[in-house]
């Protein structure tokens, strides 16, 4: 959100700006012409005009671009959160079917986040990184926690749909999403290989 600045602050900014520096340099040129006798009686207008011309031709001030986290650093943070999630999951008692789904999902996420060329390819795809971040930091813990709370209520009110069925479906959907990410990364590598092949063939024909 933009914040207001005092007149003194804006003045200090302008004094150090490129426009003021360029205008001042041209104004000094005008003073030099005055001392040389070339400006005559109109020297104030000459100096002011040259200052204005210098300020106009100076490039505008460009605000510094914001710095964003390096993709590799983002993946390091995501790996740390994944480790915390896995520690939490070891404390939860899950039914065999849901535990099996969770193991499959864990294996796939581990392979995608493992440092190496796969993670390097993942770092170039912000949408995939966002999807994995959402799954690890929100979807998986929320699904498991909801199951745990719903299971307690089901024991008080038997006869309703078992909550583990919903958990199995949720984990299955998250596994499918992770598989889609893996497919996307594989397709990117395939296209990169095909592009390199065409480049080498065209280079060979050119020779």
């Amino acid at each position: 959100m933009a914040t207001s600045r005092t007149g003194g602050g804006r003045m200090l900014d302008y004094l150090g700006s490129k426009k003021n520096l360029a205008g001042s340099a041209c104004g000094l040129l005008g003073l030099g012409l005055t001392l040389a006798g070339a400006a005559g009686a109109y020297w104030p207008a000459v100096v002011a005009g040259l200052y204005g011309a210098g300020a106009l031709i100076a490039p505008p001030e460009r605000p510094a671009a914001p710095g964003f986290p390096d993709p590799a650093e983002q993946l390091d943070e995501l790996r740390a959160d994944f480790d915390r999630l896995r520690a939490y999951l070891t404390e939860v008692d899950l039914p065999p079917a849901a535990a099996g789904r969770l193991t499959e999902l864990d294996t796939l996420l581990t392979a995608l986040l493992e440092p190496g060329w796969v993670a390097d390819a993942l770092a170039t795809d912000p949408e995939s990184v966002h999807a994995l971040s959402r799954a690890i930091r929100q979807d998986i813990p929320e699904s498991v926690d909801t199951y745990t709370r719903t299971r307690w209520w089901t024991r008080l009110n038997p006869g309703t749909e078992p909550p583990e069925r919903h958990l199995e479906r949720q984990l299955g959907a998250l596994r499918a999403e992770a598989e889609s990410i893996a497919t996307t990364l594989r397709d990117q590598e395939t296209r990169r290989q095909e592009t390199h092949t065409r480049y080498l063939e065209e280079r060979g024909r050119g020779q």
Side-chain angles (χ1 to χ4, degrees):
M1 181 176 66
T3 57
S4 60
R5 293 175 58 86
T6 63
R10 288 192 293 269
M11 178 60 70
L12 290 176
D13 289 343
Y14 179 75
L15 289 176
S17 68
K18 295 178 180 178
K19 287 186 174 296
N20 182 54
L21 295 177
S24 298
C26 291
L28 289 175
L29 176 61
L31 288 176
L33 294 174
T34 299
L35 294 176
Y42 300 100
W43 68 269
V46 172
V47 173
L50 288 174
Y51 176 88
L56 285 175
I57 64 175
E61 293 296 322
R62 181 172 59 87
F68 295 103
D70 183 84
E73 295 178 359
Q74 288 183 306
L75 289 183
D76 287 340
E77 294 176 359
L78 189 55
R79 291 187 189 101
D81 290 342
F82 185 42
D83 289 339
R84 285 194 288 270
L85 172 64
R86 298 173 82 181
Y88 157 71
L89 293 174
T90 60
E91 301 177 0
V92 181
D93 182 23
L94 297 178
R101 292 284 181 89
L102 185 60
T103 299
E104 294 173 353
L105 178 58
D106 177 88
T107 301
L108 187 52
L109 293 177
T110 300
L112 288 172
L113 291 173
E114 183 72 22
W117 67 269
V118 175
D120 292 341
L122 175 63
T124 64
D125 189 344
E127 292 185 3
S128 295
V129 173
H130 174 71
L132 288 183
S133 174
R134 182 181 57 202
I136 291 171
R137 293 168 173 160
Q138 176 180 338
D139 295 334
I140 297 175
E142 183 176 326
S143 296
V144 174
D145 184 61
T146 300
Y147 159 76
T148 302
R149 289 184 285 110
T150 307
R151 180 179 59 177
W152 185 85
W153 287 107
T154 303
R155 290 172 179 172
L156 297 181
N157 186 24
T160 58
E161 185 177 10
E164 55 265 27
R165 292 182 184 175
H166 286 284
L167 179 60
E168 292 168 18
R169 290 164 58 187
Q170 291 164 4
L171 295 175
L174 290 170
R175 182 177 185 275
E177 184 178 50
E179 288 176 338
S180 177
I181 292 173
T183 299
T184 298
L185 297 179
R186 181 201 64 193
D187 292 343
Q188 290 176 352
E189 292 297 323
T190 300
R191 288 193 295 270
R192 185 177 294 110
Q193 183 185 40
E194 292 172 348
T195 299
H196 189 59
T197 299
R198 288 194 298 270
Y199 162 72
L200 293 176
E201 291 175 346
E202 292 174 358
R203 189 178 69 181
R205 287 193 294 268
Q207 294 176 350

